[in-house]
Amino acid sequence: MSSGAARIVEQLDPASTVLLTVECQRGVVGPDSALPELADAARKSGALANVARLVAAAHDAGVQVLHAVAERRPDGRGASHNARLFKAAERLPVQQLTGSTAVRIADPIPVSGDDLVVRRLHGLSPIAGTEVDALLRNFGCRTLVVTGVSANVAIPNAVFDAVNLGYTAVVPADAIAGVPSDYTPAMVRNTLALVATVTTTDDLLTSWRRPRRDR
């Protein structure tokens, strides 16, 4: 970890940090995923297990957890249709339908009663066009830790939106996944590292476990 990253991780005060999980839902990263290649990458890379470790540690440290879920109504009302990705999603054998098991948070990620779940019916970003920004401000958030899938679309969207809104974005590179598997580290190195603090799950766990004088 670089000295700059170490300074940011040192400043991850649980009171002003929020952990965001992106599309870590059964129909995306679970065993019956609509996107089996992505689900396989998330599991084999260890990213899904690392998200679970971070969520558990956040619960213990008093860090607020937000789960961002993408779903659609059975009648499709409100869904986006202005990109190839949306049209392809409409034809997938597993649909992320509101109220279905596909939009429940996937194992092994623990969910507590203090977690909030933000559901969106449209777009590509878990932040833009949703209530996430207002919730973050109400929580007093200054630093947003972004985890989940996919490194191809939703993760960079979330990071860019967070930075544009004035938050410090932190990305544990081993807690995100995309396809193909070699795309994720290249995207992190050449894109996310320019705007976010790139770190690891273990570094964040160490930070949240470290005693602080103000606790």
Side-chain angles (χ1 to χ4, degrees):
M1 183 171 59
S2 70
S3 59
R7 285 194 298 272
I8 291 295
V9 170
E10 177 64 29
Q11 295 168 5
L12 284 176
D13 181 359
S16 59
T17 300
V18 172
L19 173 63
L20 179 70
T21 76
V22 179
E23 296 182 26
C24 291
Q25 57 205 71
R26 295 184 185 184
V28 175
V29 295
D32 298 319
S33 170
L35 303 164
E37 186 180 2
L38 178 58
D40 190 57
R43 292 183 178 275
K44 286 187 175 178
S45 68
L48 187 60
N50 284 333
V51 173
R53 293 170 66 207
L54 286 167
V55 171
H59 291 161
D60 290 341
V63 174
Q64 179 65 51
V65 177
L66 270 179
H67 302 285
V69 171
E71 59 182 48
R72 61 184 285 124
R73 288 167 48 106
D75 61 10
R77 292 177 66 85
S80 300
H81 303 284
N82 58 335
R84 289 174 55 196
L85 179 63
F86 302 130
K87 298 181 184 301
E90 293 173 3
R91 299 191 295 270
L92 292 174
V94 177
Q95 293 291 305
Q96 315 299 317
L97 298 181
T98 301
S100 71
T101 59
V103 296
R104 295 180 185 172
I105 303 303
D107 294 332
I109 298 171
V111 180
S112 84
D114 291 332
D115 294 359
L116 293 184
V117 180
V118 177
R119 304 178 183 279
R120 78 178 194 273
L121 294 174
H122 63 87
L124 300 170
S125 173
I127 297 179
T130 74
E131 59 185 321
V132 168
D133 180 39
L135 292 173
L136 294 178
R137 296 188 187 281
N138 288 345
F139 289 137
C141 177
R142 295 170 57 191
T143 302
L144 184 66
V145 179
V146 180
T147 66
V149 296
S150 75
N152 304 77
V153 178
I155 295 297
N157 261 265
V159 172
F160 293 149
D161 288 342
V163 172
N164 285 331
L165 289 167
Y167 302 103
T168 296
V170 174
V171 178
D174 55 356
I176 65 171
V179 290
S181 59
D182 59 354
Y183 173 75
T184 300
M187 189 276 297
V188 170
R189 183 173 60 252
N190 295 296
T191 302
L192 296 190
L194 301 177
V195 295
T197 295
V198 177
T199 185
T200 66
T201 295
D202 284 343
D203 284 332
L204 289 177
L205 295 180
T206 298
S207 173
W208 286 339
R209 290 170 183 155
R210 183 177 299 127
R212 286 183 171 83
R213 288 175 294 179
D214 56 346
R215 285 189 188 175

